[in-house]
Amino acid sequence: SQTIHQWPATLVQPVGSPLSLECTVEGTSNPNLYWYRQAAGRGLQLLFYSVGIGQISSEVPQNLSASRPQDRQFILSSKKLLLSDSGFYLCAWSWGALGIQYFGAGTRLSVL
Amino acid sequence: AQTVTQSQPEMSVQEAETVTLSCTYDTSESDYYLFWYKQPPSRQMILVIRQEAYKQQNATENRFSVNFQKAAKSFSLKISDSQLGDAAMYFCAYKEEYGNKLVFGAGTILRVKS
């Protein structure tokens, strides 16, 4: 069966520090991968998605970037965090036409 | 661009009762997919139910069912025999038939009273 791992679960970072959040999927090949951000009590904002290695689509201009160095690995990065980058970050994967997305457990990022 | 609207920011239901969450969407496509996701306090997103637009029959998963009205572009979720564990944020989502992205609504917080 397929599983998705996302880490860390919680992260507290100072303003101006770098960021790296990692997401990996097991049990499937060539999945679509997604990064979302969710503010407290709000909906999901799609940040990036990828349909293959090295293929990244950015949905919202911002201080973040994404990379997909391997088929089942998706990384969210920032060179210098801003206070506004605080939030809950979710990774998800999907496969096939039906496009059901399966989500990781999320990372709670606090930028202080 | 497609949009998904959930007009109820919060809903409450008594345990064992039935509640319906509303969702409308805007699209010019004829074939697409619709989903309801649940986000409990743990914040893990869980798929509740899905509906293919080409299917006229409403999807059902145990206590969860949908009322899919294609002409009205409406996709409501009915939860029967509500349980305390149903308390969560519920998101409606839309996907084009060959698209890669989900478009989410803003969510509805469901509170279950004992």
Side-chain angles (χ1 to χ4, degrees), chain A residues 99-112:
Chain A
I100 296 173
Q101 291 190 15
Y102 300 94
F103 288 80
T107 295
R108 188 181 309 275
L109 172 65
S110 297
V111 183
L112 305 177

Side-chain angles (χ1 to χ4, degrees), chain A residues 20-103:
Chain A
S20 180
L21 302 182
E22 189 164 343
C23 173
T24 60
V25 181
E26 296 178 357
T28 187
S29 296
N30 196 30
N32 293 337
L33 297 171
Y34 307 83
W35 278 112
Y36 291 90
R37 178 167 58 200
Q38 184 181 29
R42 304 292 296 276
L44 280 73
Q45 179 188 36
L46 179 63
L47 301 175
F48 302 94
Y49 73 95
S50 171
V51 299
I53 296 175
Q55 301 178 60
I56 308 295
S57 296
S58 175
E59 292 295 299
V60 182
Q62 60 215 326
N63 186 40
L64 302 170
S65 62
S67 62
R68 184 171 177 173
Q70 299 181 42
D71 181 42
R72 292 169 289 176
Q73 183 184 29
F74 205 24
I75 297 172
L76 183 69
S77 303
S78 173
K79 292 182 179 178
K80 290 185 177 181
L81 283 168
L82 306 172
L83 288 173
S84 57
D85 292 323
S86 294
F88 189 67
Y89 290 82
L90 284 158
C91 180
W93 72 273
S94 71
W95 188 91
L98 183 55
I100 296 173
Q101 291 190 15
Y102 300 94
F103 288 80

Side-chain angles (χ1 to χ4, degrees), chain B residues 1 86 101:
Chain B
D86 295 332
K101 301 183 290 184

Side-chain angles (χ1 to χ4, degrees), chain B:
Chain B
Q2 293 86 3
T3 58
V4 176
T5 302
Q6 294 179 249
S7 59
Q8 307 153 316
E10 288 192 30
M11 292 283 286
S12 292
V13 63
Q14 200 69 33
E15 200 174 3
E17 297 294 310
T18 296
V19 65
T20 298
L21 307 183
S22 300
C23 173
T24 58
Y25 56 94
D26 184 27
T27 184
S28 58
E29 304 293 324
S30 59
D31 291 320
Y32 47 87
Y33 302 97
L34 296 164
F35 308 87
W36 278 99
Y37 280 87
K38 169 185 177 181
Q39 188 179 40
S42 68
R43 303 191 80 172
Q44 171 88 53
M45 291 283 284
I46 303 164
L47 178 68
V48 175
I49 200 166
R50 71 173 191 263
Q51 175 80 42
E52 292 89 338
Y54 64 85
K55 291 186 178 179
Q56 294 186 346
Q57 186 173 6
N58 289 323
T60 298
E61 289 286 343
N62 300 314
R63 297 183 294 107
F64 298 87
S65 61
V66 299
N67 183 5
F68 173 48
Q69 301 289 329
K70 191 172 183 179
K73 297 180 182 177
S74 172
F75 183 61
S76 60
L77 175 69
K78 186 172 81 171
I79 306 174
S80 303
D81 186 26
S82 296
Q83 301 175 0
L84 294 177
D86 295 332
M89 175 89 92
Y90 286 81
F91 291 97
C92 178
Y94 164 98
K95 192 186 90 66
E96 291 181 356
E97 183 180 16
Y98 298 110
N100 294 312
K101 301 183 290 184
L102 291 180
V103 178
F104 284 92
T108 296
I109 297 172
L110 177 65
R111 305 189 192 281
V112 181
K113 302 176 182 177
S114 60

